[in-house]
Amino acid sequence: QVRLVESGGGSVQAGESLRLSCVASGYGSTIPCMGWFRQVPGKEREEVADFDYEDNPHYAESVKDRFSISQDKANNILYLQMNSLKPEDTAVYYCGARGWSSVGLGASVCETEFSMWGQGTQVTVSS
């Protein structure tokens, strides 16, 4: 059973930065296909950034050029560097993991749906 634990949230002023961390445990090797999501009360959880199976990052348009996803594969830690934070970035941020499957010829792809979640970490950005 994969366990995900986020940390690094907090309260900052607009324009400042935060770095979120997510430690993944319970799996014997590097976990691909991980991502970051966020949710505000009354709204659906939205994807912020993720890695595909080839470690290519993908970002929501709202955070592109401000946020950066990275991974320490040796220690199975996922990061989200958030720069130039805006009040609209205020949310609970979740780390997510999903499965993957072989498509033949040595290639694999990530599943579409994320199925494993951390407990979340609150990020509050004031103007």
Side-chain angles (χ1 to χ4, degrees):
Q1 181 81 17
V2 172
R3 183 169 181 245
L4 305 174
V5 179
E6 302 97 333
S7 62
S11 296
V12 297
Q13 298 287 319
E16 294 183 342
S17 299
L18 280 174
R19 189 176 79 156
L20 305 183
S21 300
C22 170
V23 178
S25 59
Y27 189 74
S29 60
T30 301
I31 302 175
C33 306
M34 294 184 68
W36 287 99
F37 289 70
R38 65 187 181 187
Q39 189 171 24
V40 297
K43 292 191 175 181
E44 290 190 1
R45 191 172 297 187
E46 67 166 342
E47 186 165 341
V48 174
D50 70 21
F51 280 118
D52 62 24
Y53 192 84
E54 287 77 30
D55 291 336
N56 298 309
H58 302 272
Y59 298 95
E61 280 300 317
S62 59
V63 305
K64 213 170 182 180
D65 299 327
R66 297 189 298 122
F67 290 11
S68 178
I69 188 172
S70 61
Q71 189 172 23
D72 175 354
K73 291 186 175 183
N75 296 295
N76 251 336
I77 303 174
L78 187 71
Y79 297 104
L80 184 68
Q81 178 67 42
M82 306 186 294
N83 299 327
S84 303
L85 282 161
K86 303 176 180 180
E88 51 264 44
D89 295 318
T90 295
V92 177
Y93 283 71
Y94 296 90
C95 171
R98 52 187 167 167
W100 59 92
S101 56
S102 172
V103 294
L105 298 176
S108 296
V109 294
C110 303
E111 293 180 356
T112 302
E113 297 296 323
F114 284 75
S115 54
M116 293 162 278
W117 302 97
Q119 82 289 350
T121 185
Q122 176 71 45
V123 172
T124 303
V125 185
S126 55
S127 57

